Amino acid sequence: MSTLLTASAATSAIGHADGFRSVVCGVDGSEASLEAARQAAAVTDPSGTLELVAVRPLAGHPLFEPLPEAAARALADARQAVVAAGRGAEGHVVAAASPAEGLLAAAGGHDLLVVGSSEIAGPLGVSLRPVPRAAVELAPHSVLVAR
């Protein structure tokens, strides 16, 4: 079962003060994903790994953001945010049928998945869009939804 964490609660929830040892952060070029990258940098153990992942559509599948040509730019922007936060990160683009599918596959074997909030206001209050919702519902480990 996934645990939904806020950035302020994340380090106390992990059981050790230095941070998560292996973190994956989904990026798409949005302001929410840049904030996710900054928060991922903050909760990653200094000796741990932070992996930034942009998901592009598989050939023949409906398009979604970021478009294939924008995925590399989203990674570069997220890397810049992480470097400004004082750490490095690996990064790569993966192809998948949906952003949620790509991020969940990339996050396998890691301690934490970080995604931007992408919240929308509806008649019943705030709800999460498909990627954060899928992460919270389907990830086998902790999820931090940044905003």
Side-chain angles (χ1 to χ4, degrees):
M1 175 182 209
S2 298
T3 303
L4 178 64
L5 299 174
T6 62
S8 60
T11 53
S12 63
I14 58 178
H16 50 89
D18 292 334
F20 288 91
R21 289 180 180 84
S22 181
V23 177
V24 170
C25 179
V27 299
D28 63 6
S30 68
E31 199 53 47
S33 79
L34 291 177
E35 181 58 28
R38 288 187 284 270
Q39 290 187 26
V43 299
T44 302
D45 184 277
S47 64
T49 60
L50 172 55
E51 182 178 343
L52 303 171
V53 176
V55 182
R56 67 166 183 80
L58 282 171
H61 281 267
L63 295 179
F64 53 79
E65 297 292 332
L67 297 175
E69 58 276 4
R73 183 76 218 156
L75 273 179
D77 291 346
R79 263 199 201 107
Q80 192 172 36
V82 167
V83 168
R87 77 166 291 120
E90 300 172 17
H92 63 278
V93 177
V94 299
S98 72
E101 179 183 297
L103 287 178
L104 288 168
H110 294 274
D111 300 327
L112 177 68
L113 172 60
V114 182
V115 295
S117 65
S118 301
E119 294 174 346
I120 55 173
L124 300 176
V126 174
S127 66
L128 295 176
R129 290 196 183 228
V131 173
R133 182 181 195 91
V136 169
E137 292 176 357
L138 302 174
H141 45 62
S142 294
V143 173
L144 187 150
V145 179
R147 60 181 195 172

